[in-house]
Amino acid sequence: RQLLAFSREQTLRPQVVQLGDVLSDLSMLLRRSLGERVGLDMVHGRDLWPVRADVTQLEQVILNLAVNARDAMPDGGKLTIRTANVQAADIIRHRSKDDPVELPESDAVMIEVTDTGTGIPDEIKQKIFDPFFSTKDVGKGTGLGLAICREIVTAHGGTLELDESVTAGACFVLSLPIATPAALRRAA
């Protein structure tokens, strides 16, 4: 499934959803996946705009980011997942310094996944989304997790970036464009 998702051979089944509801439904699985030593704090923005997303693939992205965060906190810690509405012009501040500066076409809903773990060393930050690049020991990871996450989010018209301004732990910022009025009419 991971290779199919990475090669974009897996079919998207998007529907109009509220991210707060999706994350609430996923919270039990997240808590079990994180274990007893990692706390989960979910902070939902108010009146989140609807997005058009394949719920199963979106859950895969969030779960992968959470498990990576857990692995970066071997002595325990806290994972915070925060959602918020973001104007198109404000998304630019989360973009990596090396990404071309392009404003998205629409406003978006943002999901920040922040951990209190060991962080990502500067020398590998530019490689973390590369296919088959892994910081884990041999046999412990495929190196496809973050690459697939980015591919899934990109297929949804969104972005997934590492917030390099965070100096302790790691913070991944995912943004999904809001569902257009036409998409909302199709879903009704």
Side-chain angles (χ1 to χ4, degrees):
R1 278 196 337 244
Q2 286 183 326
L3 286 172
L4 286 173
F6 183 71
S7 66
R8 293 191 181 185
E9 295 296 321
Q10 198 170 17
T11 305
L12 285 178
R13 291 181 174 80
Q15 59 190 29
V16 176
V17 296
Q18 292 289 338
L19 286 180
D21 296 340
V22 172
L23 291 171
S24 291
D25 292 345
L26 187 60
S27 66
M28 288 289 270
L29 179 58
L30 284 170
R31 288 183 202 287
R32 282 196 303 258
S33 298
L34 294 174
E36 295 176 9
R37 296 169 48 155
V38 176
L40 175 63
D41 189 15
M42 299 188 85
V43 182
H44 296 296
R46 295 187 68 207
D47 301 321
L48 291 177
W49 297 319
V51 298
R52 190 164 163 75
D54 181 314
V55 173
T56 302
Q57 289 196 11
L58 184 58
E59 289 174 342
Q60 178 183 345
V61 169
I62 302 300
L63 191 57
N64 186 286
L65 293 173
V67 168
N68 283 353
R70 178 203 64 201
D71 293 347
M73 298 182 279
D75 298 324
K78 185 166 111 176
L79 177 69
T80 302
I81 299 176
R82 186 175 73 84
T83 58
N85 292 329
V86 182
Q87 301 289 320
D90 292 333
I91 294 171
I92 200 81
R93 76 179 179 89
H94 291 289
R95 301 296 299 264
S96 169
K97 292 176 230 155
D98 297 326
D99 284 345
V101 178
E102 293 179 24
L103 287 175
E105 294 179 17
S106 72
D107 297 333
V109 178
M110 177 189 69
I111 304 172
E112 277 185 354
V113 180
T114 308
D115 67 60
T116 59
T118 56
I120 300 170
D122 288 338
E123 61 271 11
I124 66 168
K125 285 182 179 178
Q126 301 307 316
K127 298 176 187 178
I128 62 171
F129 291 108
D130 291 352
F132 306 108
F133 178 80
S134 179
T135 59
K136 297 178 182 172
D137 293 335
V138 175
K140 300 265 184 187
T142 62
L144 286 174
L146 288 175
I148 289 171
C149 287
R150 184 177 258 182
E151 285 295 321
I152 290 171
V153 173
T154 300
H156 282 81
T159 60
L160 175 62
E161 302 294 331
L162 174 67
D163 185 343
E164 294 188 36
S165 68
V166 173
T167 56
C171 177
F172 287 89
V173 181
L174 182 161
S175 65
L176 294 172
I178 61 171
T180 63
L184 293 172
R185 282 192 299 277
R186 281 194 305 269

